[in-house]
């Protein structure tokens, strides 16, 4: 397989993605979704991929989260793939040598939703 994916408690990473810890964070988020809401996350993630294509992962980045927070949009309002992408992007952001604190702060309400299992 050339794509990473998670089924239940099993994460499949392609050879070329095994050194990318942010990709692992994305897939671990799917495992956590499974733990909290059961296998329905699989159908919801696949549905988003089939209907939205690459858009299934897009949430607007830091500017999109800032606007969403202003509008009161919670973490659980995002698709399963967007939720995992938010976690992946947050990991990439906070592991940068020069992580801008104002950017990571924008992610915090959403990461708190993830930590609480608000799916």
């Amino acid at each position: 397989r050339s794509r990473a994916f998670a089924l239940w408690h099993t994460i499949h990473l392609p050879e070329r993605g095994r050194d990318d810890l942010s990709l692992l964070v994305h897939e671990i988020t799917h495992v956590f979704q499974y733990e909290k809401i059961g296998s329905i996350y699989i159908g919801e993630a696949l549905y988003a991929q089939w209907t939205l294509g690459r858009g299934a992962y897009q949430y607007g980045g830091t500017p999109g989260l800032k606007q969403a927070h202003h509008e009161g949009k919670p973490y659980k309002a995002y698709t399963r793939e967007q939720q995992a992408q938010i976690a992946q992007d947050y990991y990439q952001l906070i592991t940068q040598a020069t992580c801008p604190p104002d950017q990571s702060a924008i992610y915090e309400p959403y990461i708190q939703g993830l930590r609480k299992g608000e799916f």
Side-chain angles (χ1 to χ4, degrees):
R1 295 240 163 197
S2 62
R3 293 182 56 176
F5 63 96
L7 289 175
W8 306 285
H9 291 116
T10 304
I11 295 173
H12 300 269
L13 293 175
E15 191 74 33
R16 63 175 168 72
R18 291 186 181 161
D19 60 347
D20 182 356
L21 289 179
S22 73
L23 183 58
L24 184 60
V25 168
H26 181 105
E27 298 307 328
I28 286 172
T29 302
H30 290 312
V31 173
F32 190 47
Q33 290 167 342
Y34 170 64
E35 285 291 318
K36 291 295 187 179
I37 62 169
S39 60
I40 193 168
Y41 87 92
I42 298 169
E44 292 172 347
L46 290 174
Y47 180 78
Q49 290 173 22
W50 290 330
T51 58
L52 301 172
R54 290 196 156 270
Y57 301 86
Q58 297 172 356
Y59 59 92
T62 304
L65 286 184
K66 187 174 184 178
Q67 180 65 31
H69 184 66
H70 177 73
E71 295 169 0
K73 183 176 181 178
Y75 181 72
K76 66 183 177 182
Y78 289 92
T79 69
R80 301 295 173 220
E81 291 298 351
Q82 289 168 333
Q83 290 172 353
Q85 193 63 50
I86 289 168
Q88 180 177 355
D89 291 349
Y90 177 74
Y91 175 82
Q92 287 176 325
L93 186 65
I94 65 168
T95 57
Q96 291 177 6
T98 57
C99 173
D102 59 325
Q103 283 190 14
S104 62
I106 292 167
Y107 280 80
E108 280 301 324
Y110 297 93
I111 297 305
Q112 287 302 319
L114 167 62
R115 289 178 179 141
K116 293 177 182 175
E118 296 174 348
F119 298 116

